[in-house]
Amino acid sequence: MPATKKKKKKNLVIVESPHKAKTIEKYLGSNYHVIASKGHIRDLPKSQMGVNIDQDYEPKYISIRGKGDTIKELKKEAKKSKYVYLASDPDREGEAIAWHVAHALGLDPKENNRVAFNEITKDAVKNAFKNPRSIDMDIVDAQQARRVLDRLVGYSLSPILWAKVKKGLSAGRVQSVALKLVIDREKEIKNFKPEEYWTIDADFAKKRKKFTGSFYGLNGKKTDLPNNDAVKDVLAKIDKKKDFEITKVVKKERRRNPAAPFTTSTMQQEANKRLGYRTRRTMRIAQSLYEGVNLGKGSVGLITYMRTDSKRIANVARQEASKFIHEEYGASFASMKPQNFKNDAEAQDAHEAIRPTSAFRTPESIKQYLTPEEYRLYNLIWSRFIASQMTPAVYDTVRADIEQNGVTFRTNGSKLKFAGFTKVYDNEKEKSKELPDLEEGDKVKLSKTDDRQHFTQPPARYTEASLVHALEANGVGRPSTYAPTIDTIQRRYYVKLEGRAIVPTELGEIVDQLIEEFFPDIVNVDFTAQLEDDLDHVEEGQKNWVKVVDEYYKPFSHELEKADEQIEKVQIKDEPAGFNCDICGAPMVIKMGRYGKFYACSRFPDCRNTKPIVKKVGVKCPKCGKGEVVEKKSKKNRKFYGCSRYPECDFVSWDQPIGRNCPNDGHFLVQKKTKKGLVVLCPNGDYREDQDEN
């Protein structure tokens, strides 16, 4: 009987994502088997603190509930494999996951079995496997320090909030600072006192060529216009029958340099501003682009790792971009010397900037394989990177002073001379403003003046984009924490979205006030930023993680004892709703819930009748004609409009009906907000009316 051939053992590779596993297995070939841990497999227990404070803050790790089958599969596959490689993501969380998997499988963490790559491409993956290393315990310790500190703070503060305010609340280091930033901005807005100022614009013409200028000053000096009397004094000096004279002309060439390629923060900000994507959505799409998309002949990672604070670009990527720009746009558009963008002082610089894995993989060439949201984000990343390696845009600029009787107006003009990087990506979208050919001594005619009253405006409320920018600017959090932090304060109903603006709720203000009074260090921006620096020092091997935790926890523990004694129970009083319960007849009240305010019967829990609070828009339902159109919120907190008689009437619309019908086809008209203002549209056709937003 012939001998059976012994099956050759394969190398096992453990990654985080099942989607990524398929791509990497294809790149590595038949000698490798790739499976996924599906994120963390061990963590601190949810039911208890899980940190032994008396034993150097030793964490108590347990298998995550529901991960039993995954751990069994990992052990089974490891047992029959020739060698095990740990290839989780190249950041603190990824390093910690590799360490936890090594512990579960009984692997030696000092063994060279850790593989990390910044992009999921064939060359990057194969090169990484040529240079495996041991698990970096300094990086693991930095992650442990953050996890332990966040657990100590969260699990100590939350019970106080439950006891003194209401159940279901939470507090944490970074989320408390983010909430404070939002509330401080709201206080600025409420305390803002507008100041009056005026402007005067004027229309001029030189030989029938018209242009505009703005009032600059009197007798050659810049002059403010604080009130209408100042405006009248200026206008009284002007003789409308006399020509104005061009007294000074300054002509220059101005260069505008391209922006750096994206970091996590700038990608989230730009995706929010340009695409309207919230931070969580942006990171989800970026993750799929990083892990790989099937381009017809298999899956390919389209971008480099998307959690980074670095603007650094690998030389090979810079060279490829230069080649693409030379071929596609010409040598005059390619930067002559390497573009080196300076990192922020707090940047860890652990990974490259976010860029496409191939400059030649243009958005249009792969559009058919991408979802619409993947295409839009990839287009943004690709365009920003290519533009960063291009030459500056060049403008011819003109500034002219126009004078009569000591009154000076000033006009500025610019004309694009060379497009440079703006041919691909223009982050400022500067418009050209051409002037007639103006020379000193020229005479020009004034046709009219337009004086207007203005008032200074308060600072704008934060959007998700500007809050990310503020957190980064203050050194609070790191690329991996921005999206979950903003998501947490919204889920806790400490803040809510009004359009894109982040607005604090009453609940958020109560929580912030308590934390600021009794735990000032938690919401101190400088204190939290210093902790981030200390965690970086742990990662770099310069500080011991236990010492860092101890330095922060000991003062906090003293504040805890004091707070538990001194904080009085906060009574969140129910407001009268102004109508009675339609079940038992008792008065209805307005209660504060986890997801906002709602109507409830005052006899709760004996009567459990509740109703959502809806906002009427003053229009009858276009479908049934009986109910009122009311404003509602979807499960994803998106505003939409429906009939108050639901479920009897199932009318819904994403845009607000206005109570009129289209003159063309009789369909109800809706009001829609665009970048240019409010418009009235017919959802069925081309009918459109522009509206004045005021």
Side-chain angles (χ1 to χ4, degrees), residues 13-26:
V13 181
I14 300 173
V15 297
E16 289 180 43
S17 156
H19 185 74
K20 188 163 48 169
K22 294 176 185 176
T23 307
I24 292 170
E25 186 167 279
K26 185 191 74 173

Side-chain angles (χ1 to χ4, degrees), residues 396-661:
D396 282 332
T397 65
V398 180
R399 191 190 77 207
D401 287 351
I402 314 152
E403 196 173 313
Q404 184 212 85
N405 295 339
V407 177
T408 304
F409 285 82
R410 178 167 283 181
T411 186
N412 292 283
S414 68
K415 183 180 179 183
L416 183 64
K417 186 177 183 179
F418 178 70
F421 75 91
T422 63
K423 196 170 183 69
V424 175
Y425 180 94
D426 190 354
N427 54 310
E428 292 180 20
K429 295 186 178 178
E430 184 174 328
K431 292 181 180 178
S432 292
K433 179 191 172 186
E434 292 193 45
L435 296 175
D437 187 22
L438 300 175
E439 301 293 341
E440 291 179 11
D442 284 351
K443 304 293 183 183
V444 296
K445 292 189 180 296
L446 172 70
S447 56
K448 71 171 184 176
T449 59
D450 181 16
D451 53 279
R452 294 192 181 188
Q453 182 187 38
H454 308 271
F455 291 92
T456 53
Q457 296 297 308
R461 282 172 169 153
Y462 283 113
T463 61
E464 288 196 357
S466 59
L467 184 55
V468 165
H469 179 71
L471 289 168
E472 183 183 46
N474 284 291
V476 176
R478 287 295 179 259
S480 60
T481 65
Y482 301 137
T485 296
I486 292 172
D487 187 55
T488 298
I489 60 175
Q490 289 179 35
R491 281 191 293 104
R492 297 294 179 203
Y493 197 65
Y494 296 159
V495 301
K496 60 183 179 180
L497 287 181
E498 290 185 0
R500 289 194 185 181
I502 300 176
V503 183
T505 63
E506 294 169 54
L507 185 60
E509 289 172 350
I510 290 168
V511 170
D512 176 70
Q513 188 177 345
L514 284 178
I515 294 174
E516 188 164 13
E517 183 177 350
F518 291 95
F519 305 96
D521 285 342
I522 294 294
V523 288
N524 184 305
V525 171
D526 295 334
F527 182 88
T528 307
Q530 181 57 52
L531 174 55
E532 297 292 355
D533 290 342
D534 286 343
L535 292 174
D536 292 346
H537 293 147
V538 171
E539 181 169 335
E540 292 155 9
Q542 297 171 9
K543 277 199 171 188
N544 177 273
W545 79 270
V546 173
K547 189 178 178 184
V548 168
V549 172
D550 197 54
E551 286 173 356
Y552 283 88
Y553 181 69
K554 276 190 175 170
F556 172 70
S557 63
H558 297 313
E559 291 172 344
L560 273 173
E561 294 171 13
K562 180 180 162 188
D564 200 30
E565 293 172 6
Q566 296 183 8
I567 297 178
E568 295 180 4
K569 175 80 175 172
V570 177
Q571 292 290 336
I572 302 178
K573 293 182 180 177
D574 297 334
E575 304 170 43
F579 60 94
N580 293 333
C581 175
D582 52 10
I583 293 177
C584 73
M588 293 288 278
V589 293
I590 299 172
K591 284 186 174 287
M592 174 76 78
R594 187 174 174 182
Y595 301 106
K597 292 183 176 181
F598 63 96
Y599 294 125
C601 181
S602 57
R603 290 183 61 246
F604 178 88
D606 297 324
C607 178
R608 294 180 173 271
N609 185 23
T610 61
K611 291 177 181 290
I613 295 177
V614 294
K615 179 182 172 185
K616 294 181 180 180
V617 301
V619 171
K620 286 286 184 185
C621 174
K623 186 169 185 178
C624 71
K626 298 176 183 177
E628 294 272 345
V629 174
V630 294
E631 188 180 293
K632 297 185 176 184
K633 289 285 181 70
S634 70
K635 287 182 180 178
K636 294 187 176 180
N637 208 35
R638 185 179 171 189
K639 188 192 295 183
F640 71 98
Y641 300 89
C643 181
S644 60
R645 293 179 63 246
Y646 178 85
E648 286 85 1
C649 175
D650 61 358
F651 168 78
V652 287
S653 170
W654 287 117
D655 301 310
Q656 181 181 329
I658 63 167
R660 289 194 288 121
N661 293 332

Side-chain angles (χ1 to χ4, degrees), residues 96-116:
I97 288 171
W99 180 65
H100 286 302
V101 169
H103 181 276
L105 302 185
L107 304 177
D108 183 357
K110 294 180 181 177
E111 200 175 333
N112 289 334
N113 59 5
R114 172 75 169 118
V115 177

